[in-house]
Amino acid sequence: MLEQRVVGTPPTVPARPEAVRLAVLHWFARLVAALHRAWADPMVRRGTLGMGLVSAGSLTPAFLPPKAPIISQLHLEWLGEGVGRFAATVLIIAGLALLVDAWLRMRPRDGRRVPSLTWVFWSLPVLLAPPLFSRDAYSYAAQGLIVQRGLDPYAYGPYWVPGQYADQVDPMWLLTPAPYGPLALQVQHFIVAITGDNAYLAAVLMRLPAVAAVALLAWTLPRLAKRFGVSPSHALWLAVLNPLVIMHFVGGAHGDAVMVALVTLALYVASLGRFWVGAALIAAAASYKQTGALALVGVIGMAMQADGTAGLGASARLRSLIRHGVTLTLVTVASFTAITVLTGLGWGWTSNLSVPASLRSLIAPPTFVGASIEWFMNLAGMPLATAAAAVPIAQSIGLLVGLVSISVIVWRVAPRKPVVAAAGALLVLVASGPVIHPWYLLWGGVLLGAVRLSERAIRAVIFVTLFFVTYGAVDATVSNGTWALGLSAAVWMIGRFVVSRRRTGDALPERALQPVGVPAA
């Protein structure tokens, strides 16, 4: 039957500007409703209070550079000594304890869902706080100034821009040029440009790209998890709301956050079959921090899954690996080259990749082993030159073991479980490298939120999280000269972990959440 219409009477369709306005209003109403739902959760409020306490206690020598102008401007000199410093440190420890407790209690179980905007409330209290648990943001600001003044950031360190920007930088890094990718340096340049001559404000605003990255993670990771049969709520809890993410990505304003967010977006896009776009996003991640390039193994694995060679013989798998590996690597290299040309900063970073390794990190397994051997050799009275060789040899062996392990992951894991391969490759790189900072664990650790984990593996993630939260807390107390509080924090964290293991009613293993026909992560 033909549709009858009155001639000259067009269907009622909202005008385009009106439609846009209605869409914006609808989005805003949904946002407000989501914020209300999140704030109604007592654990959200508890974590927010915790980060508020951390922010209140942050104006101390643990986080501020010497003679920071903000101290005199706000007349807070009393926080840097005696009772004031002790009280501020107590606030930091108590705040971290509340954050960890809220996170553990929020774990999805018995039908409980994690409010999607929890991360917003947990981030808000520290947005204007000084960079927390690290002074890298002060170096970011100085590097941005170097770019603004037309100097080569890959040849000159903060020492060459004397004044308030260089004064904020840890003396260890004053002479070291930037090791970061060109995109990161141009973002730092932009932030310095909009803050004028306020070096402290520039360092604080380095948090903007990190917060934007966490927002992207909160949107992307649950969707990636759902693609591979993992509960989005679990992914949000384990990874995005992980205390290390709030402490170091948001609090510390680390550029690693942008790299991890772009890697997650790349894997999500690749899971939709857009492998070239995924490879280009990997290039963007690497142009922020070069280690992101290793996550390309996940994109290659998804491409191999798509053509059905993952379960075939070795020769077919090898041909698929070579075909997709070469093609997607070329796309990544071409995209990275384009970004480098557009930024105008060149390839000087290639000679600076060893800059972070100049710090002896005893929580890095190869460095710890080498340092232990060096200590015994010195104890035995061996020549100093011989003993000193122990650490670099152990670090070289560690890198070799890491390279072999990554090769095995690419060959055996990537075609079957591409997200596991990407997470595993990044975590192996961290574990086999010469230096570990707590936020390095998040390179691959965040991706574990999109992986089906056993209960034992989830407990391992919780243990590692609490260990490095404790590490950050103890480091802050030592910097404030109140190490006894750090020991108290360590004891509390151990007790809290034991209690969390004894809790009943754990959620179902993630493999039970896998729907039929969903590929392995």
Side-chain angles (χ1 to χ4, degrees):
M1 182 175 179
L2 294 176
E3 179 184 4
Q4 295 181 346
R5 290 184 181 177
V6 178
V7 177
T9 305
T12 303
V13 178
R16 187 173 182 82
E18 179 66 13
V20 172
R21 188 182 73 84
L22 291 174
V24 171
L25 289 176
H26 178 65
W27 174 85
F28 184 75
R30 291 178 58 192
L31 174 63
V32 171
L35 289 171
H36 277 297
R37 286 194 301 271
W39 188 247
D41 190 314
M43 291 305 105
V44 173
R45 297 196 297 271
R46 180 175 298 187
T48 304
L49 173 60
M51 291 309 294
L53 294 179
V54 172
S55 180
S58 64
L59 297 175
T60 68
F63 303 133
L64 288 171
K67 299 179 181 179
I70 190 174
I71 293 295
S72 58
Q73 290 168 0
L74 300 180
H75 306 289
L76 296 175
E77 291 84 358
W78 60 277
L79 285 175
E81 55 189 25
V83 175
R85 182 186 290 197
F86 181 85
T89 309
V90 169
L91 291 178
I92 295 169
I93 299 302
L96 291 177
L98 284 173
L99 176 68
V100 166
D101 186 61
W103 178 64
L104 290 174
R105 291 177 184 274
M106 190 176 277
R107 179 178 174 184
R109 66 181 83 218
D110 299 331
R112 176 189 174 93
R113 293 179 63 84
V114 177
S116 60
L117 295 182
T118 300
W119 69 272
V120 174
F121 289 105
W122 289 5
S123 301
L124 277 175
V126 297
L127 288 184
L128 297 180
L132 304 176
F133 306 104
S134 166
R135 296 187 177 179
D136 282 6
Y138 298 117
S139 294
Y140 296 167
Q143 288 159 185
L145 182 63
I146 289 172
V147 176
Q148 186 178 40
R149 293 189 176 176
L151 299 174
D152 182 359
Y154 297 130
Y156 297 93
Y159 172 83
W160 298 99
V161 285
Q164 57 174 327
Y165 279 86
D167 291 344
Q168 295 185 138
V169 178
D170 189 314
M172 178 180 295
W173 308 117
L174 269 176
L175 295 173
T176 54
Y180 306 110
L183 182 58
L185 290 170
Q186 285 296 8
V187 171
Q188 294 161 9
H189 170 209
F190 172 76
I191 292 174
V192 168
I194 64 175
T195 53
D197 294 328
N198 194 323
Y200 176 77
L201 180 61
V204 171
L205 290 187
M206 293 298 161
R207 193 170 276 128
L208 291 178
V211 171
V214 174
L216 180 59
L217 272 176
W219 185 88
T220 307
L221 190 68
R223 286 166 172 78
L224 176 65
K226 190 175 182 180
R227 291 284 301 166
F228 290 97
V230 178
S231 162
S233 192
H234 170 83
L236 189 68
W237 170 77
L238 187 69
V240 181
L241 300 182
N242 190 293
L244 294 178
V245 170
I246 306 301
M247 287 172 63
H248 296 294
F249 278 4
V250 179
H254 287 287
D256 306 60
V258 179
M259 181 268 283
V260 173
L262 289 173
V263 162
T264 306
L265 180 61
L267 293 174
Y268 174 62
V269 169
S271 74
L272 301 175
R274 300 167 184 169
F275 307 119
W276 282 34
V277 178
L281 286 168
I282 291 292
S287 69
Y288 219 91
K289 190 151 189 173
Q290 297 87 337
T291 47
L294 197 54
L296 184 64
V297 302
V299 179
I300 294 172
M302 290 182 192
M304 294 175 68
Q305 271 191 346
D307 67 11
T309 57
L312 300 181
S315 59
R317 195 189 337 162
L318 179 60
R319 288 194 299 271
S320 178
L321 177 61
I322 292 174
R323 182 172 70 256
H324 293 299
V326 170
T327 302
L328 295 173
T329 299
L330 288 175
V331 172
T332 302
V333 171
S335 301
F336 188 97
T337 302
I339 293 171
T340 300
V341 171
L342 290 173
T343 60
L345 294 179
W347 300 81
W349 56 267
T350 55
S351 59
N352 299 338
L353 290 177
S354 62
V355 166
S358 57
L359 177 69
R360 179 173 287 196
S361 172
L362 293 181
I363 57 175
T367 303
F368 177 78
V369 170
S372 300
I373 295 173
E374 180 186 48
W375 184 80
F376 282 113
M377 293 173 74
N378 287 328
L379 197 65
M382 300 185 69
L384 293 179
T386 303
V391 172
I393 290 175
Q395 290 175 341
S396 299
I397 293 174
L399 290 175
L400 180 61
V401 171
L403 181 62
V404 172
S405 300
I406 292 171
S407 300
V408 172
I409 288 173
V410 171
W411 175 248
R412 297 183 64 88
V413 181
R416 297 182 296 109
K417 299 180 177 181
V419 179
V420 174
L426 288 166
L427 289 173
V428 166
L429 177 65
V430 173
S432 62
V435 175
I436 290 181
H437 295 296
W439 53 94
Y440 283 13
L441 273 296
L442 298 175
W443 295 353
V446 165
L447 296 178
L448 293 179
V451 172
R452 294 187 300 278
L453 299 175
S454 66
E455 182 61 30
R456 179 175 296 181
I458 293 173
R459 286 177 176 170
V461 172
I462 293 173
F463 174 79
V464 171
T465 297
L466 266 60
F467 174 84
F468 280 101
V469 170
T470 305
Y471 178 86
V474 172
D475 184 60
T477 60
V478 171
S479 298
N480 277 343
T482 54
W483 57 269
L485 288 175
L487 294 180
S488 301
V491 171
W492 185 89
M493 291 291 180
I494 293 172
R496 190 63 186 83
F497 176 71
V498 172
V499 170
S500 72
R501 291 196 60 182
R502 291 177 178 173
R503 291 190 66 186
T504 57
D506 286 343
L508 289 174
E510 287 301 314
R511 59 179 173 272
L513 298 169
Q514 183 185 14
V516 177
V518 174

